[in-house]
Amino acid sequence: MADAKVIPFDDDRSRGSRGAGSRRRGSAAESAPVGEGPGGEVQPLPVRGAAAQDPAAEPEEPDESPGARPTTEGGGEDGGEDGGLERRVAAGLSFLRRRLTGDYEVDDFGYDAELTDQVLMSLLRPMYEKYFRVEVKGVENIPAQGGALIVANHSGTLPLDGLMMQVAVHDHHPADRHLRLLAADLVFVLPVVNELARKLGHTLACAEDAERLLAKGELVGVMPEGFKGIGKPFGERYKLQRFGRGGFVSTALRQGVPIVPCSIVGAEEIYPMIGNSKTLARLLGFPYFPLTPTFPWLGPLGAVPLPTKWTIQFGEPIPTDGYAPEAAEDPVLMFNLTDQVREQIQHTLYKLLVQRRSVFF
């Protein structure tokens, strides 16, 4: 496959909050029974206004008796929790109604922001947080607004690294940005995978789509190693493959957006690829057919990734807005910038590997 097309697949969550501020029951003066005066006359309860005007009146004190419990604005003593549950149920029913009636929006690329935020990210998050225990560094290097191109290494036999990078940006960026990944054409011919990729905001790895997204101020993610990186043998782990012909640099130069290098450690070991069945790959139309210590020998169980510990680090952005418009056609400049990005990612990979205590911890 052409190098330009090899990129992987890669709340509004209603949170139940307790009632805003709690109120205590009335003061002792308010709850006291009606008393009798010296002449047997019934004395009315003191009024706040009158007490305030009478300088001899003693200040009221709150009832500290064990029977006095705080109540919430929602009603009962436990109204906060009940109200939060009701809001969550109402939000869920409202979401289902919109999905069933088609009352939701997708953009020109098929990206469904509501479904991604409320469902798809929630499905990916347990793998991100509990299984791979991803640690994110340097997320502040991603611009808070405007277009930017995030360039990362690619590995792992299956493209889970792109999805984990997407969750990292979605959950940790202070501006709540969303990453739009460029994916290989193979992704968009696979049943189910095609639809899910579109809903997550992925699009075909071509210059036209990338430039349209960047012009709209989106974050775009690309993995220039493509299938050469994701399908490399385990013995070549963390050794970057060739970065294509530098098409991603040309795209960034045309739009004048910064390039943010990203280094991912941990994905190389989830499926240690010890062999490649080229015959099966040709029959199935795949770029490679991996053989690992567990797959295909253990059947479906062999497709379970190993629970490695991941680190994703975003490096300092490389600006491109200082170049003239014709710089995008300069092959020497493209080669130099491509090499600069590649070297920065490789150097960071080596540094993270030295700092890593274990593959799994």
Side-chain angles (χ1 to χ4, degrees):
M1 277 185 193
D3 294 333
K5 292 187 178 179
V6 286
I7 317 298
F9 317 59
D10 352 41
D11 331 15
D12 219 1
R13 289 192 304 259
S14 210
R15 291 185 174 87
S17 55
R18 303 188 69 87
S22 58
R23 295 181 179 175
R24 300 186 67 85
R25 298 194 179 202
S27 63
E30 291 176 321
S31 56
V34 177
E36 297 182 357
E41 298 179 356
V42 176
Q43 300 296 324
L45 289 172
V47 183
R48 289 183 185 273
Q53 294 175 2
D54 185 3
E58 295 183 0
E60 299 176 358
E61 296 183 0
D63 186 3
E64 301 295 340
S65 61
R69 297 181 184 176
T71 60
T72 62
E73 294 182 357
E77 295 172 351
D78 297 323
E81 292 180 1
D82 293 344
L85 178 60
E86 290 175 0
R87 282 192 294 272
R88 287 195 295 270
V89 171
L93 293 175
S94 177
F95 172 79
L96 289 176
R97 179 187 60 78
R98 289 193 298 273
R99 306 315 295 187
L100 293 174
T101 60
D103 185 20
Y104 58 92
E105 296 181 357
V106 297
D107 69 5
D108 296 339
F109 299 90
Y111 170 49
D112 189 331
E114 183 184 49
L115 184 69
T116 296
D117 290 340
Q118 297 195 22
V119 178
L120 300 180
M121 283 294 161
S122 298
L123 295 176
L124 292 172
R125 196 169 287 116
M127 178 177 288
Y128 173 92
E129 294 180 347
K130 305 299 183 182
Y131 198 77
F132 294 135
R133 296 146 291 146
V134 181
E135 179 183 0
V136 180
K137 299 180 179 180
V139 72
E140 67 277 1
N141 289 320
I142 300 174
Q145 58 186 0
L149 188 66
I150 298 179
V151 181
N153 60 305
H154 198 17
S155 62
T157 305
L158 289 182
L160 297 179
D161 50 358
L163 296 175
M164 295 301 102
M165 182 171 65
Q166 194 172 5
V167 178
V169 174
H170 182 275
D171 285 5
H172 294 280
H173 196 277
D176 297 326
R177 303 209 64 180
H178 182 76
L179 181 63
R180 308 292 293 270
L181 289 173
L182 302 180
D185 51 1
L186 177 62
V187 171
F188 301 104
V189 299
L190 295 174
V192 181
V193 173
N194 167 35
E195 186 68 18
L196 289 176
R198 289 290 185 187
K199 295 293 186 183
L200 274 165
H202 305 175
T203 190
L204 188 65
C206 63
E208 292 78 10
D209 283 3
E211 289 187 21
R212 285 177 60 195
L213 288 170
L214 291 171
K216 291 170 59 178
E218 299 280 2
L219 286 180
V220 177
V222 61
M223 294 173 162
E225 291 177 280
F227 291 123
K228 297 187 305 294
I230 196 173
K232 64 178 177 286
F234 186 67
E236 297 180 15
R237 60 192 180 279
Y238 299 114
K239 297 178 182 178
L240 293 183
Q241 305 299 300
R242 189 169 65 89
F243 269 21
R245 299 182 180 89
F248 70 91
V249 171
S250 177
T251 299
L253 287 169
R254 286 194 182 93
Q255 296 299 319
V257 299
I259 300 173
V260 181
C262 176
S263 303
I264 304 173
V265 165
E268 293 276 16
E269 295 90 0
I270 59 173
Y271 296 110
M273 187 169 164
I274 57 177
N276 176 20
S277 177
K278 295 181 180 180
T279 302
L280 284 175
R282 278 196 304 271
L283 290 173
L284 297 173
F286 294 161
Y288 57 89
F289 188 89
L291 303 176
T292 75
T294 59
F295 182 83
W297 331 114
L298 298 183
L301 187 61
V304 178
L306 296 178
T308 58
K309 175 74 171 61
W310 287 34
T311 301
I312 299 178
Q313 179 161 335
F314 299 96
E316 294 185 5
I318 299 171
T320 65
D321 55 355
Y323 296 97
E326 59 271 17
E329 308 301 329
D330 185 349
V332 176
L333 177 61
M334 283 196 297
F335 174 81
N336 289 337
L337 285 176
T338 301
D339 192 56
Q340 180 182 352
V341 174
R342 186 179 181 278
E343 287 300 318
Q344 188 168 334
I345 295 174
Q346 184 69 81
H347 176 74
T348 304
L349 286 175
Y350 287 148
K351 184 174 67 174
L352 292 174
L353 288 171
V354 170
Q355 297 172 351
R356 181 168 70 168
R357 293 179 301 167
S358 165
V359 173
F360 300 101
F361 305 102

